[in-house]
Amino acid sequence: MNHTPGKQDDLVTRSLRSVWHPCTQMQHHETLPLIPVSHGRGAWLYDINGDRYLDAISSWWVNLFGHANPRINSALKLQLDLLEHAMLAGFTHEPVVQLSEQLAARTGHVLGHCFYASDGASAVEIALKMSFHTWRNHGKPAKREFVCLKGSYHGETIGALGVTDVPIFRDAYDSLLQHAHVVASPDARNAEPGESAADVARQAAGELEKLLQERASQIAAIIIEPLVQCASGMAMHDPVYLQEVRLLCDKYQIHMIADEIAVGCGRTGTFFACEQAAIWPDFICLSKGISGGYLPLSLVMTRDEIYQSFYDIDVRRGFLHSHSYTGNPLACRAALATLAIFEEDDVLNANRARAAQLTMALAPLASHEQVANFRHRGMIWAFDAVIDSPQAAATFSQRFFSTALEHELLLRPIGNTVYLMPPYILSDEEIAGLAARVQTVFARVMAA
């Protein structure tokens, strides 16, 4: 990296003076670099000096097909000349209708209705409210409690924090929250010697059933990140857990909410993560990759019977939730362009070949003596650094991030968990370079 004082320093200074950056202790930027991005091309971000960084985490898991993708750009330029926005209450438009139809078709029309918002946490809020309101419309207002998994993360609005079990995000606002029941995670890392990931999944499902036996009449829904609990360190579980939960939800009459905000849109290997368990939940929350990483967009998909529970002449039985930019035409057009790329480029099959190639290139890390729990699902890779010193462990994430930047990589470990969630466009050369640089950065950080 070549640092030239002047324009870059000026932009950083202005940003630190006026922008409150997310998920950041701002004082850390007194020593940690803030990167002033100039532009993006493909898998790379470029700063004002022309230094580049391979976006190995897809800019917080949103960018599926590269920055400045020509096909998504073209679709948006056409939409700009037609309609930038119109309220979705009392109006409709072609992009939101097409998107809803195409997503419903991907579920075989089991989840045939889409409700739109702008960000993932808002989608979670919608699903939680919609679940409770459905039960209320069915004459069961006592069903107002929710269940989440240990280590789960579903967003940072008040309702979403209530079903989040990551202390650093939740604890400051604990007194504001309606607390959920927290049940065991099916995290495969919890396996005892001789146990399989499926064994752990079934044990976790057994704990859930004990709760439902006692509280089903008060519980509205359970919310799950299918296959991978991302923010808690990429905790991966066997698909059998989703099958068991689906059976329990049917047995005890509670809703199943699948938070596929991070794990949907092909990230785990199928378009919807739930497909790998051959089940459909009652609600699917989508955001992040659905617009290709271009524009804020989220949505909740649900079943016809839930939609029908609100369909009434009485306004009070309707779902009156709203957002100003609900179903924004530009965001929906970006999503349609994203879905078109999935079909035109046979992305899911192409990703299997990319995944096999990157997994092989990362193989030395899987057997590294300072690596535990090397794991992979679809287009997600993760491993845990084995660190003896508490002081070194406390600074590992920041040191890894800074060192990765020196090697043209954008990587942000979660605690001692290093993960990769790259866009679906890496070339053979980029795959080889990514794997080699990750190993180099890991060696440098662990030796420091």
Side-chain angles (χ1 to χ4, degrees), residues 263-286:
V263 300
C265 301
R267 184 53 72 180
T268 61
T270 47
F271 188 83
F272 294 109
C274 286
E275 293 179 68
Q276 294 180 50
I279 61 100
W280 292 114
D282 301 294
F283 303 90
I284 287 181
C285 301
L286 289 179

Side-chain angles (χ1 to χ4, degrees), residues 267-307:
R267 184 53 72 180
T268 61
T270 47
F271 188 83
F272 294 109
C274 286
E275 293 179 68
Q276 294 180 50
I279 61 100
W280 292 114
D282 301 294
F283 303 90
I284 287 181
C285 301
L286 289 179
S287 189
K288 291 192 181 290
I290 189 61
S291 74
Y294 265 69
L295 288 163
L297 180 68
S298 67
L299 60 101
V300 177
M301 304 180 68
T302 193
R303 297 171 180 263
D304 184 63
E305 53 266 36
I306 290 173
Y307 172 82

Side-chain angles (χ1 to χ4, degrees), residues 49-61:
N49 284 334
D51 294 321
R52 66 176 190 166
Y53 311 91
L54 181 64
D55 191 354
I57 57 172
S58 298
S59 287
W60 259 348
W61 323 340

Side-chain angles (χ1 to χ4, degrees), residues 124 146-172 174 177-187 189-190 207 223-225 229-233 235 259 414:
V124 169
F146 296 97
V147 182
C148 67
L149 305 186
K150 183 177 180 181
S152 59
Y153 173 88
H154 299 288
E156 294 167 42
T157 51
I158 294 299
L161 275 177
V163 289
T164 286
D165 186 49
V166 181
I168 195 168
F169 296 119
R170 184 202 62 213
D171 286 358
D174 188 71
L177 307 179
Q178 176 178 314
H179 295 99
H181 300 280
V182 180
V183 295
S185 167
D187 183 351
R189 292 176 295 181
N190 295 331
E207 180 178 312
I223 184 167
I224 299 167
E225 286 178 277
Q229 292 177 255
C230 294
S232 58
D259 175 354
I414 301 171

Side-chain angles (χ1 to χ4, degrees), residues 99 103 114-124 126 261 284-288 290-291 295-301 323 325-328 331-332:
L99 181 57
L103 289 172
C114 295
F115 195 100
Y116 289 84
S118 301
D119 60 84
S122 295
V124 169
I126 288 165
I261 291 161
I284 287 181
C285 301
L286 289 179
S287 189
K288 291 192 181 290
I290 189 61
S291 74
L295 288 163
L297 180 68
S298 67
L299 60 101
V300 177
M301 304 180 68
H323 294 262
Y325 283 92
T326 292
N328 174 260
C332 290

